[in-house]
């Protein structure tokens, strides 16, 4: 008898996709100005389009060669958390903030930031980026980042239309370890839960590294 092991990630993403079938797709599309057709709702996440099956719950990335790739856990949870929360807003309340704050500055967060339990996300990727500044810049530009004069590499990156982050990277030198600093638009937690900010970061760093390794 074969025993099929299902990870917690798979369980969570399956539950989220099942819940998506009950979302008010028409309302979400109108509020966020999203494209849709009879079968799919289309969402842009980190400069790439996704299609979400309104009847099938399938969530796929649309690649440049027009192929479809099933989205992973971080993509699914990031996209669906945003769409779920949008239902609480009227269209005129949906406004992109231009103010950036560190995680510790987010109103709903207490004792958060790079020093909390997810600090390994930053340290692990900071080391992976070290000594590759040119490739890091090119990757940030490929995902639509806007260059800023901060750190050794600095960009404003669109995660969703209503959520941006400021990514600043300092490479290692004789005195300091490499470091990533991230600032979020100050109303990010109106659109997603705090845990989702780390799902978005995990996928952002994964995507950047994939581009750098081409």
């Amino acid at each position: 008898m074969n025993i099929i092991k299902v990870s917690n990630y798979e369980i969570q993403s399956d539950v989220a996709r099942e819940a998506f079938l009950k979302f008010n797709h028409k309302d979400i599309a109108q509020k966020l100005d999203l494209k849709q057709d009879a079968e799919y709702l289309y969402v842009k996440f980190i400069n790439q389009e996704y299609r979400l099956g309104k009847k099938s719950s399938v969530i796929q990335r649309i690649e440049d060669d027009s192929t479809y790739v099933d989205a992973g856990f971080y993509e699914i949870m990031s996209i669906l958390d945003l769409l779920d929360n949008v239902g609480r807003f009227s269209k005129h309340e949906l406004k992109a903030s231009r103010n950036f704050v560190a995680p510790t500055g987010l109103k709903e967060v207490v004792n958060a930031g790079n020093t909390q339990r997810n600090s390994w996300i930053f340290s692990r990727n900071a080391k992976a980026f070290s000594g590759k500044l040119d490739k890091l810049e090119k990757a940030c530009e490929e995902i639509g980042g806007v260059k800023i004069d901060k750190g050794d590499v600095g960009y404003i990156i669109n995660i969703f239309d209503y959520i941006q982050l400021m990514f600043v990277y300092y490479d290692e030198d004789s005195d300091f370890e490499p470091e990533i600093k991230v600032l979020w638009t100050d109303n990010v937690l109106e659109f997603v839960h705090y845990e989702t900010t780390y799902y978005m970061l995990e996928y952002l760093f994964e995507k950047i590294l994939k581009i750098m390794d081409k």
Side-chain angles (χ1 to χ4, degrees):
M1 177 179 174
N2 292 327
I3 299 175
I4 300 175
K5 293 184 178 180
V6 180
S7 72
N8 286 334
Y9 283 176
E10 290 175 296
I11 293 170
Q12 288 182 63
S13 59
D14 285 348
V15 169
R17 290 192 301 108
E18 186 69 22
F20 169 71
L21 297 176
K22 300 176 183 178
F23 287 7
N24 187 330
H25 304 131
K26 181 179 179 181
D27 180 62
I28 291 170
Q30 289 177 342
K31 287 179 179 177
L32 294 179
D33 296 321
L34 302 178
K35 295 188 300 181
Q36 65 170 328
D37 54 34
E39 296 294 327
Y40 297 100
L41 186 66
Y42 298 88
V43 178
K44 182 169 281 190
F45 174 49
I46 312 182
N47 204 40
Q48 188 158 24
E49 192 166 55
Y50 289 72
R51 66 178 190 178
L52 286 64
K54 295 190 287 187
K55 301 174 183 177
S56 66
S57 82
V58 66
I59 299 179
Q60 297 173 314
R61 288 194 307 277
I62 304 176
E63 301 286 355
D64 291 338
D65 60 359
S66 297
T67 58
Y68 301 97
V69 178
D70 289 341
F73 175 79
Y74 297 125
E75 299 159 280
I76 291 170
M77 301 304 287
S78 298
I79 292 169
L80 294 187
D81 192 25
L82 171 71
L83 300 190
D84 189 23
N85 283 298
V86 161
R88 299 186 291 107
F89 292 87
S90 63
K91 188 173 177 63
H92 77 270
E93 290 175 320
L94 292 169
K95 296 179 181 178
S97 174
R98 295 185 179 182
N99 299 317
F100 290 90
V101 296
T104 49
L106 296 172
K107 296 177 182 178
E108 296 86 344
V109 178
V110 178
N111 295 326
N114 292 9
T115 59
Q116 62 103 50
R117 70 184 189 280
N118 288 305
S119 62
W120 61 273
I121 297 174
F122 294 88
S123 59
R124 170 170 50 86
N125 287 286
K127 291 176 182 177
F129 297 151
S130 185
K132 305 172 184 176
L133 298 185
D134 288 345
K135 288 186 176 182
L136 179 57
E137 285 193 344
K138 289 179 181 177
C140 289
E141 289 170 6
E142 185 168 325
I143 60 175
V146 177
K147 189 174 177 62
I148 56 174
D149 187 21
K150 291 183 181 295
D152 293 315
V153 175
Y155 282 85
I156 303 295
I157 297 171
N158 264 26
I159 304 300
F160 293 105
D161 286 343
Y162 296 95
I163 300 175
Q164 291 182 321
L165 64 77
M166 182 183 296
F167 168 81
V168 181
Y169 180 71
Y170 298 88
D171 207 353
E172 65 182 333
D173 58 28
S174 57
D175 298 316
F176 297 99
E177 292 290 313
E179 182 181 13
I180 293 171
K181 288 189 176 180
V182 166
L183 285 77
W184 290 99
T185 43
D186 63 5
N187 65 343
V188 61
L189 298 187
E190 294 179 14
F191 296 104
V192 296
H193 292 88
Y194 180 64
E195 188 68 25
T196 303
T197 65
Y198 284 93
Y199 296 158
M200 294 189 290
L201 284 177
E202 282 278 20
Y203 186 65
L204 172 65
F205 295 152
E206 177 184 315
K207 188 178 180 76
I208 287 174
L209 283 169
K210 185 177 179 180
I211 294 171
M212 290 173 65
D213 289 339
K214 283 182 180 179

